[in-house]
Amino acid sequence: MKITDMKLYHVKPRWLFLKIETDEGISGWGEPIVEGRALTVATAVEELKRYLIGEDPLRIEHHWQVMYRGTFYRGGPVLVSAISGIEQALWDIKGKFYNMPVYEMLGGKVRETIRMYSHCGGATPDEIAANAKKRMEAGFTAIKIGVDAPVRQVDTLAFVENVTNKFAAIREAAGSGLDIAIDFHGRVSPAMSIRLAAALEPYYPMFIEEPVLPENVDALLRVAQSTSIPIATGERLFTRWGFREALEKGAVAIVQPDLCHAGGIFEGRKIAAMAEVHYASVAPHNPLGPISLASCLQLDACTPNFLIQEHPSMAEKWDLGEGYLKRPFVVEGGHIAVPQGPGLGIEINEEALIERGYGGDWDTPRLAYDDGSFAEW
């Protein structure tokens, strides 16, 4: 079997889908994307296409090594995200070739259902508490809220009270049975993260995500050592090498590889194995499309130290694949059943990709402080 073609689709709201075709009529799908850099990643995929055309799609590990190590420069979000989407599509092909799900080729499933958490927002404590109750009514047993931006390096007591009051309102409305995670999104300095964690600790957060930016592991460690709240990070780390230091130093309790950024499904499994050695859990990051979700579910199904799977807001129902998948995913009781079909277990509606196409020019929002200086998004 040989790879014959690779097609890219920019689709709303901000996604990039890849279809890899073969001379045996088997095709596979992946999601190579960096949010706000879809056109750049598409160019990287086209560059890697020159190597892949004519190759055997079943040699996934070999192709990963060549794509990652084949030039003098390695790593980074653009290259590794391009490789990630390609790798997902190759696993989809391989699963269809052998007529089995990807997780069967990675050791087999260790669970029957996959626990999901949903995003939850609100401008006021009452609004966010009401939205959290709606998520519970929909069957979710875990949600994640975020810290409003921008956040100053040393912010006010009023800011801390605003964050804490929202969290407390959810806890009061939902009781002790709902897990509530909170995403600092790298917006918060180490000093403010320590203050915020102390204020939130009485309300038992499930975890704090990205309490600081990922470049300085010692700063992350300082926050982790200051609180009993589990620390999660990893959406902006690439390959197993990117996770090594945080795990070795004990700076993270929950790793969050994004399978569209970190190197793909098998690289995610390697990261999970590293985390297992350090008694850390895995909660794959996923704010993206249905192919990303399908890839995550394959990893979740076969990973013993899997904790919970991020699930987008469902604001447009596109996140479950409605319109894009011939059989969208279904969340029941806050879980998705382990997929049964071959490969990624999905069938793409290509007509919808064309109907909902766009120019790939979605950009990351940019924020500023009151004085006009740049603020982390």
Side-chain angles (χ1 to χ4, degrees):
M1 184 162 52
K2 304 294 181 185
I3 296 171
T4 56
D5 201 5
M6 296 169 58
K7 298 177 180 178
L8 290 164
Y9 297 85
H10 292 279
V11 294
K12 296 177 182 179
R14 59 175 185 174
W15 303 331
L16 178 64
F17 294 169
L18 167 67
K19 181 183 183 183
I20 297 182
E21 298 178 339
T22 70
D23 60 357
E24 293 196 12
I26 301 173
S27 59
W29 290 90
E31 195 166 339
I33 183 68
V34 174
E35 299 91 309
R37 292 291 181 268
L39 297 172
T40 310
V41 176
T43 299
V45 172
E46 291 290 346
E47 291 173 342
L48 294 168
K49 178 179 177 179
R50 296 197 297 264
Y51 158 70
L52 288 164
I53 295 296
E55 294 290 333
D56 179 357
L58 303 182
R59 301 183 67 199
I60 299 173
E61 180 67 17
H62 174 73
H63 297 323
W64 196 100
Q65 295 290 332
V66 171
M67 290 187 291
Y68 184 77
R69 298 166 57 197
T71 63
F72 186 76
Y73 297 97
R74 303 179 183 184
V78 173
L79 174 62
V80 184
S81 297
I83 292 172
S84 298
I86 292 169
E87 193 259 15
Q88 293 166 2
L90 295 180
W91 277 112
D92 196 25
I93 290 169
K94 189 160 189 163
K96 291 170 181 174
F97 181 81
Y98 288 111
N99 194 31
M100 64 177 67
V102 173
Y103 61 76
E104 291 289 1
M105 296 181 282
L106 298 179
K109 63 182 179 181
V110 296
R111 57 184 49 83
E112 299 298 330
T113 63
I114 295 161
R115 189 186 183 203
M116 315 295 293
Y117 71 84
S118 179
H119 296 178
C120 183
T124 67
D126 287 344
E127 184 179 343
I128 201 169
N131 289 337
K133 291 188 76 172
K134 289 179 183 177
R135 296 290 188 266
M136 292 182 71
E137 290 167 1
F140 287 98
T141 59
I143 61 169
K144 185 171 74 179
I145 67 173
V147 170
D148 294 336
V151 184
R152 287 181 284 189
Q153 291 289 304
V154 178
D155 219 312
T156 63
L157 175 60
F159 165 77
V160 175
E161 288 176 340
N162 179 57
V163 175
T164 306
N165 288 342
K166 285 184 176 181
F167 203 104
I170 298 173
R171 180 58 73 205
E172 181 178 355
S176 59
L178 180 70
D179 280 322
I180 313 166
I182 183 165
D183 190 354
F184 286 14
H185 216 270
R187 296 168 177 159
V188 187
S189 69
M192 281 307 302
S193 283
I194 290 170
R195 277 188 163 174
L196 268 179
L200 291 167
E201 202 159 35
Y203 305 102
Y204 201 81
M206 184 183 191
F207 59 79
I208 294 174
E209 179 174 337
E210 275 203 323
V212 297
L213 290 166
E215 295 96 340
N216 188 331
V217 175
D218 287 333
L220 183 67
L221 177 61
R222 191 159 67 251
V223 175
Q225 291 175 334
S226 75
T227 181
S228 69
I229 303 171
I231 299 300
T233 196
E235 69 184 79
R236 289 186 273 189
L237 299 176
F238 313 107
T239 76
R240 74 206 88 148
W241 292 280
F243 286 82
R244 180 190 59 80
E245 186 180 4
L247 284 167
E248 287 179 352
K249 289 185 174 180
V252 59
I254 302 161
V255 295
Q256 297 175 299
D258 188 311
L259 302 192
C260 294
H261 302 326
I265 298 169
F266 194 33
E267 190 68 9
R269 188 65 189 87
K270 294 174 183 179
I271 292 164
M274 289 172 58
E276 188 176 6
V277 172
H278 294 276
Y279 307 120
S281 301
V282 182
H285 180 255
N286 174 35
L288 292 167
I291 301 174
S292 172
L293 178 57
S295 299
C296 289
L297 297 177
Q298 297 296 323
L299 175 68
D300 303 340
C302 65
T303 300
N305 53 330
F306 165 75
L307 178 66
I308 196 166
Q309 176 60 56
E310 180 173 17
H311 186 267
S313 64
M314 300 181 293
E316 304 289 346
K317 295 186 178 179
W318 291 351
D319 306 311
L320 287 171
E322 185 167 306
Y324 291 125
L325 300 184
K326 294 182 180 180
R327 291 186 299 277
F329 291 107
V330 176
V331 180
E332 294 183 344
H335 290 69
I336 292 179
V338 170
Q340 300 299 311
L344 296 181
I346 55 175
E347 291 184 67
I348 299 291
N349 180 0
E350 289 191 64
E351 292 182 359
L353 307 190
I354 297 170
E355 292 171 1
R356 295 180 181 177
Y358 83 117
D361 53 355
W362 183 90
D363 204 356
T364 304
R366 290 176 175 82
L367 301 179
Y369 294 114
D370 293 340
D371 62 4
S373 61
F374 178 81
E376 290 289 343
W377 181 57

